[in-house]
């Protein structure tokens, strides 16, 4: 029994496996689990504070005037058409605030387009921009508008978004 005890409690054990067990116990303890999850593993959009979203969607439409605006939805608050609530403004909000993706990388925008095309992550109506401010949730219409775009138009949209955010 003494040999077994010595075999397990060598300096290597204490430095390696023992340390991992101690840290593992601390890591998974219920009172610290929330702390580690919120502070170490959360993905907060660092760029969200720098996004001047009121200007960006307008600049994108200036670069791509043929891009559908999809701004025919009625505001819950005013009862009038919310003309400034466009496909691009909702796409930016979804990209930056819902998904927490950076706005100045092409790959991140391609992932967002893949979400709209139902080829990447699931999009939930309850968290989609416009759900709480418009009478009708615009998600289905926005997805249909993105599907109608050609590959070249989608690439141009991605490039316009990256260009606009890179300037800012």
């Amino acid at each position: 029994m003494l040999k077994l005890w010595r075999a397990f409690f060598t300096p290597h054990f204490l430095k390696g496996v023992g340390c991992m067990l101690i840290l593992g116990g601390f890591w998974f303890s219920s009172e610290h689990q929330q702390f580690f999850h919120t502070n170490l593993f959360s993905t907060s959009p660092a760029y969200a504070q720098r996004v001047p979203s009121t200007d960006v969607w307008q600049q994108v439409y200036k670069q791509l005037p043929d891009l559908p605006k999809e701004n025919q939805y009625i505001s819950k608050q005013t009862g009038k058409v919310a003309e400034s609530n466009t496909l691009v403004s909702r796409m930016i909000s979804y990209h930056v605030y819902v998904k927490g993706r950076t706005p100045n990388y092409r790959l991140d925008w391609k992932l967002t387009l893949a979400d709209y095309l139902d080829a990447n992550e699931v999009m939930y109506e309850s968290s989609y921009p416009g759900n709480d401010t418009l009478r009708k949730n615009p998600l289905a219409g926005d997805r249909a508008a993105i599907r109608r775009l050609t590959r070249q138009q989608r690439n141009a949209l991605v490039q316009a978004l990256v260009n606009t955010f890179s300037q800012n």
Side-chain angles (χ1 to χ4, degrees), residues 5-51:
W5 181 261
R6 285 184 186 164
F8 280 114
F9 289 99
T10 63
H12 296 291
F13 175 82
L14 292 175
K15 287 181 182 175
V17 177
C19 185
M20 288 171 50
L21 287 173
I22 292 169
L23 288 175
F26 177 73
W27 183 267
F28 289 107
S29 70
S30 61
E31 71 182 48
H32 298 344
Q33 188 174 10
Q34 182 63 32
F35 170 79
F36 282 109
H37 185 275
T38 356
N39 294 321
L40 297 178
F41 295 115
S42 65
T43 56
S44 60
Y47 289 93
Q49 291 77 24
R50 294 187 238 166
V51 178

Side-chain angles (χ1 to χ4, degrees), residues 55-97:
D55 299 336
V56 173
W57 68 268
Q58 294 170 342
Q59 292 176 24
V60 170
Y61 280 113
K62 282 180 185 174
Q63 293 176 50
L64 304 170
D66 295 335
L67 189 67
K69 287 195 176 177
E70 291 295 312
N71 62 346
Q72 72 275 10
Y73 297 98
I74 307 295
S75 169
K76 282 182 181 177
Q77 191 174 28
T78 64
K80 297 179 181 178
V81 174
E83 291 183 16
S84 62
N85 196 324
T86 64
L87 169 65
V88 173
S89 67
R90 290 187 298 271
M91 184 182 280
I92 291 168
S93 294
Y94 172 78
H95 182 85
V96 175
Y97 299 109

